[in-house]
Amino acid sequence: ESGRDEIYVQPYPATGARWQVSKDGGQWPRWRGDGKEIFWLDPHGTLMAAEVATGQAFQAGLARSLFETGITTFSERFAVSRDGKRFLLPLPVEQQGTSALTVVQNWLGAAKR
C-alpha cells in the first residue's frame, strides 16, 4: 500500500483486520517472547521497536529506533532474546577485527535464561 515493505499485524486466522506498525518501511519482524513488543529492520539497517497490546483490540505504540546495526542487505537476519534485551546480529565485514576471535558456546542456553 505504501509502495515499500512495511510491518503489519493481523489476527490468525485472518479476519480482514490488520494494523500497520512501521511507518518508514521495514522487514524481518520479530516478536518479543511475551508478545508485547515487535522488532524490525528499517531500510537503513536501524533496529526498530514498537510496544504492542494484543487484548480485545490490537494497539501499537510509536516506533522507536534502538541502534544502527550496520546491516546493509535484508538477506542478513537477526534474532531477539525472549526478554527483548539482547540481539544476535551478523557483524558487517568492514567492522570485523582480525586480531581476536571470541567463541561463545551454548549461547542458545544462555538466551533462554
Side-chain angles (χ1 to χ4, degrees):
E1 292 176 10
S2 70
R4 63 180 169 251
D5 291 330
E6 298 285 0
I7 306 303
Y8 290 88
V9 172
Q10 69 181 34
Y12 180 82
T15 63
R18 71 179 191 162
W19 300 269
Q20 186 174 343
V21 178
S22 63
K23 301 294 183 220
D24 296 317
Q27 284 193 335
W28 306 115
R30 301 286 187 268
W31 286 95
R32 191 169 80 188
D34 61 6
K36 294 182 179 180
E37 195 168 22
I38 299 176
F39 303 94
W40 68 93
L41 291 175
D42 80 358
H44 308 290
T46 301
L47 187 67
M48 304 293 293
E51 292 184 7
V52 296
T54 58
Q56 293 275 353
F58 179 84
Q59 292 182 337
L62 293 176
R64 66 187 190 287
S65 64
L66 298 180
F67 56 87
E68 298 293 326
T69 66
I71 293 176
T72 57
T73 66
F74 284 120
S75 64
E76 298 180 71
R77 312 285 171 107
F78 69 98
V80 179
S81 66
R82 183 164 175 74
D83 63 4
K85 294 182 180 181
R86 293 178 291 173
F87 304 90
L88 181 63
L89 300 154
L91 185 62
V93 172
E94 62 272 5
Q95 293 180 9
Q96 291 178 352
T98 56
S99 60
L101 175 66
T102 302
V103 177
V104 178
Q105 296 180 328
N106 195 23
W107 65 267
L108 190 55
K112 291 180 182 178
R113 289 188 240 157

